[in-house]
């Protein structure tokens, strides 16, 4: 069964750090592009960032509000994706989802087809 | 960044109704458009990718169309399990962006 399980969420003070993990199973993680998406309480979805597979360069992209503060990385030997979050702000409070970023066969049409259940991050003093 | 705008923001409908949700991009994105369904307290679920391709396992009552800047998601006959929030998302360029969502509830 294809599965993503996030962990590491919790309560942190403004300016603090947190590291989220996403354990993948049921597919070849090393070939997958992976994405983090977040959802603030009562709000819509926000794409946080993506990491390509190492075969495709392993590069990362981020949304502007998190650039310089968040870092996405991967450990293919452990089938695990990470999101290191530093200098956290109150507005980073959200449920964070890990997803696969899959290309339709033979195309460059990417979509997020496998989602974890999410982990909650609360930034508050 | 590409801005995605959905309409309406909320919609009341009855079981059996035909429903259409619209998504507009701030620039042309070809067919790099996906649709997701999210139920309360759950992770989003992919419905449609590349504007009109139905994800495996999704009922054929769901369909998508459009290209360029204007897209639609249609549910041909609403079922009780379809009441949820729907999001469009562009995958034309990063940062990927979502529409603000359309909440579909029971009339």
């Amino acid at each position: 069964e294809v599965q993503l399980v996030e962990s590491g969420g919790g309560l942190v003070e403004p300016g603090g750090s947190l590291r989220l993990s996403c354990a993948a199973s049921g597919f070849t993680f090393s070939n997958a592009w992976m994405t983090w998406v977040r959802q603030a309480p009562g709000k819509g979805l926000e794409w946080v960032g993506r990491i390509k597979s190492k075969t495709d360069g392993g590069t990362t992209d981020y949304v502007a509000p998190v650039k310089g503060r968040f870092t996405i990385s991967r450990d293919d030997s452990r089938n695990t994706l990470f999101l290191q979050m530093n200098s956290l702000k109150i507005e980073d409070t959200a449920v964070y989802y890990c997803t696969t970023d899959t290309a339709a066969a033979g195309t460059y049409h990417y979509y997020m087809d496998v989602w974890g259940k999410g982990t909650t991050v609360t930034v508050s003093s | 960044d590409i801005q995605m705008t959905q309409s309406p923001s909320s919609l009341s409908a009855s079981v059996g109704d035909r429903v259409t949700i619209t998504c507009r991009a701030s620039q042309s994105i070809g067919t790099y458009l996906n649709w997701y369904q999210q139920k309360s307290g759950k992770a989003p679920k992919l419905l449609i990718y590349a504007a009109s391709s139905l994800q495996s396992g999704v009922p054929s009552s769901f369909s998508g169309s459009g290209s360029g800047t204007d897209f639609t998601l249609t549910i041909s006959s609403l079922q009780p399990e379809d009441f949820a929030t729907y999001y469009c998302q562009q995958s034309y360029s990063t940062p990927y962006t979502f529409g603000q969502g359309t909440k579909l509830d029971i009339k």
Side-chain angles (χ1 to χ4, degrees):
Chain A
E1 181 193 3
V2 175
Q3 194 172 12
L4 297 170
V5 179
E6 302 94 338
S7 61
L11 174 63
V12 61
E13 291 186 346
S17 297
L18 211 55
R19 188 197 202 201
L20 306 184
S21 299
C22 171
S25 59
F27 63 100
T28 306
F29 179 76
S30 60
N31 290 345
W33 293 20
M34 299 296 296
T35 291
W36 288 96
V37 173
R38 66 183 179 182
Q39 186 168 36
K43 302 296 186 183
L45 301 170
E46 181 180 37
W47 182 89
V48 173
R50 178 191 67 192
I51 186 166
K52 296 182 179 179
S53 64
K54 285 193 168 57
T55 302
D56 291 317
T59 55
T60 52
D61 291 286
Y62 302 94
V63 70
V66 311
K67 272 182 190 173
R69 300 188 300 122
F70 289 13
T71 302
I72 298 174
S73 62
R74 62 192 301 157
D75 184 340
D76 291 345
S77 68
R78 295 164 54 191
N79 290 344
T80 303
L81 176 73
F82 301 101
L83 178 64
Q84 177 67 44
M85 303 185 294
N86 299 329
S87 303
L88 280 160
K89 304 176 180 181
I90 290 175
E91 52 264 38
D92 295 319
T93 294
V95 175
Y96 284 74
Y97 296 102
C98 159
T99 87
T100 54
D101 197 12
T102 301
T107 79
Y108 291 104
H109 284 280
Y110 282 85
Y111 49 82
M112 292 172 271
D113 58 337
V114 181
W115 295 68
K117 289 182 164 53
T119 186
T120 300
V121 172
T122 303
V123 184
S124 174
S125 54
Chain B
D1 298 0
I2 299 173
Q3 184 175 355
M4 307 301 293
T5 304
Q6 287 180 233
S7 61
S9 295
S10 63
L11 176 59
S12 294
S14 301
V15 172
D17 282 354
R18 180 183 179 90
V19 165
T20 297
I21 298 169
T22 297
C23 178
R24 175 164 288 175
S26 60
Q27 68 179 73
S28 179
I29 59 171
T31 57
Y32 289 85
L33 191 284
N34 306 317
W35 289 97
Y36 301 84
Q37 175 194 68
Q38 186 179 33
K39 297 182 178 177
S40 183
K42 302 292 188 183
K45 172 187 173 183
L46 175 69
L47 298 175
I48 301 283
Y49 63 92
S52 61
S53 295
L54 192 67
Q55 171 69 348
S56 175
V58 174
S60 58
S61 56
F62 289 89
S63 63
S65 65
S67 66
T69 60
D70 295 311
F71 302 87
T72 58
L73 172 71
T74 299
I75 310 172
S76 60
S77 179
L78 274 172
Q79 298 303 302
E81 60 268 25
D82 298 336
F83 292 94
T85 300
Y86 293 85
Y87 295 93
C88 62
Q89 174 248 329
Q90 64 84 13
S91 60
Y92 181 80
S93 65
T94 58
Y96 292 164
T97 43
F98 291 88
Q100 80 278 17
T102 295
K103 185 174 182 180
L104 176 57
D105 60 23
I106 301 174
K107 185 184 289 182

